[in-house]
Amino acid sequence: SRYFSAALSPDAGRIVVVELTPSEESRLVILDAGTGAVERVLPRLSGVSYTYPVFTADGGAVLSAVRDSAGSMAVVLQPADGGAPRVITPFWLRTLGPPRPVAGDIFFPADFSGVVALYRWDTTDHRLFRVTTRPLGDYSLTVDTAGKRLIFDEYSARGYFLASVPFTAEAGTPVDTSGFTGPSPTGVARAIQAEGGPVTGKVPDRDFAVTAYRPLGHLVRVHSWSFLPTYPQVGLYLQSQDVLNSLQWTAGGGYNVDEQSPYLSATLAY
């Protein structure tokens, strides 16, 4: 099987996953959390790829953001008993993160303005609201229903950290979505402009000979030196990873600031 993006049901009895079929189509599958047996294959929405599904609060349905062949994304609701999928939001040519259902509405991170922020979709009035306005983006949303908080991670100069903001049923500032059918002005358009136009015509055509690949002969593939200031340890590491990601190892050393002494370190994963 090819299962991805697993999410546990509220009663911890089932798991919903995205399955990639041999025909390269994605669909949602519900598994028994204890045995791993397939309980139900949900009917798929034609022409889309599923991303990160999640159960609703009562476990009776599954929400997932989907992407169509044009790159547009929307949120889809699928009954867990096998009912037909229903598109909840419009398809926008923007990136949507994993949705979270709260009190009948849907919260999700999305890139509507060039910076990932948290948004709320009002399922009654069918309107979009921006819940957070922070400079470096908000990711990996989860909901604390007891404390009425949205919890997410945010990036800073010191790395990722957890943050939270309170929410209510009326949270957020209304967003005009009329311009979301074209590319993001800070994304594709700027990249094409920086490259001086599409690059497909600038890439030369080349033919490569097909040869047998021998995994054992390529297990060691040193690709870089890395400086890792992981306080209190600061050091240099040699890194290796084979093409098939079968074997990864690092070796190096540095100085431990707390212990005021040098050290050697090595890791190996197969």
Side-chain angles (χ1 to χ4, degrees):
S1 62
R2 299 178 180 179
Y3 293 152
F4 305 90
S5 308
L8 197 62
S9 65
D11 63 0
R14 295 169 296 165
I15 299 173
V16 61
V17 297
V18 176
E19 180 185 31
L20 184 63
T21 68
S23 59
E24 298 186 358
E25 294 181 340
S26 66
R27 61 187 181 185
L28 299 181
V29 178
I30 296 180
L31 310 174
D32 183 286
T35 65
V38 175
E39 287 192 356
R40 189 179 299 276
V41 177
L42 300 184
R44 65 183 303 272
L45 188 65
S46 178
V48 302
S49 297
Y50 291 86
T51 56
Y52 296 96
V54 62
F55 281 97
T56 54
D58 61 1
V62 175
L63 282 171
S64 177
V66 298
R67 186 188 302 272
D68 66 14
S69 59
S72 297
M73 297 192 70
V75 176
V76 171
L77 177 73
Q78 301 213 204
D81 62 4
R86 180 163 58 94
V87 179
I88 300 298
T89 69
F91 274 89
W92 296 305
L93 195 56
R94 297 292 188 274
T95 300
L96 307 185
R100 296 291 182 265
V102 182
D105 289 343
I106 301 171
F107 289 77
F108 52 86
D111 176 14
F112 286 124
S113 62
V115 176
V116 177
L118 304 184
Y119 292 85
R120 176 176 68 89
W121 178 255
D122 188 319
T123 56
T124 301
D125 296 333
H126 306 290
R127 299 176 64 196
L128 184 68
F129 295 82
R130 181 166 179 165
V131 180
T132 60
T133 303
R134 303 170 75 90
L136 298 178
D138 308 318
Y139 308 86
S140 303
L141 169 67
T142 191
V143 180
D144 174 13
T145 53
K148 293 186 176 181
R149 298 181 301 165
L150 300 176
I151 302 173
F152 51 91
D153 64 46
E154 190 171 83
Y155 186 75
S156 72
R158 300 184 65 181
Y160 285 95
F161 64 93
L162 292 178
S164 67
V165 295
F167 75 88
T168 64
E170 297 80 25
T173 303
V175 176
D176 180 11
T177 63
S178 60
F180 291 169
T181 55
S184 170
T186 57
V188 176
R190 284 191 178 182
I192 292 177
Q193 183 179 8
E195 292 289 344
V199 299
T200 52
K202 303 177 183 179
V203 179
D205 294 331
R206 295 179 61 186
D207 293 327
F208 294 91
V210 178
T211 59
Y213 179 80
R214 296 176 175 80
L216 292 179
H218 297 81
L219 282 179
V220 176
R221 180 173 174 266
V222 177
H223 58 78
S224 65
W225 281 96
S226 297
F227 172 67
L228 298 178
T230 53
Y231 186 86
Q233 294 182 340
V234 180
L236 287 172
Y237 296 86
L238 185 66
Q239 300 197 46
S240 172
Q241 178 172 294
D242 71 305
V243 175
L244 298 181
N245 297 330
S246 300
L247 178 69
Q248 303 93 37
W249 60 262
T250 64
Y255 188 78
N256 189 302
V257 178
D258 287 349
E259 298 181 2
Q260 298 185 1
S261 64
Y263 71 88
L264 295 175
S265 174
T267 63
L268 180 70
Y270 182 79

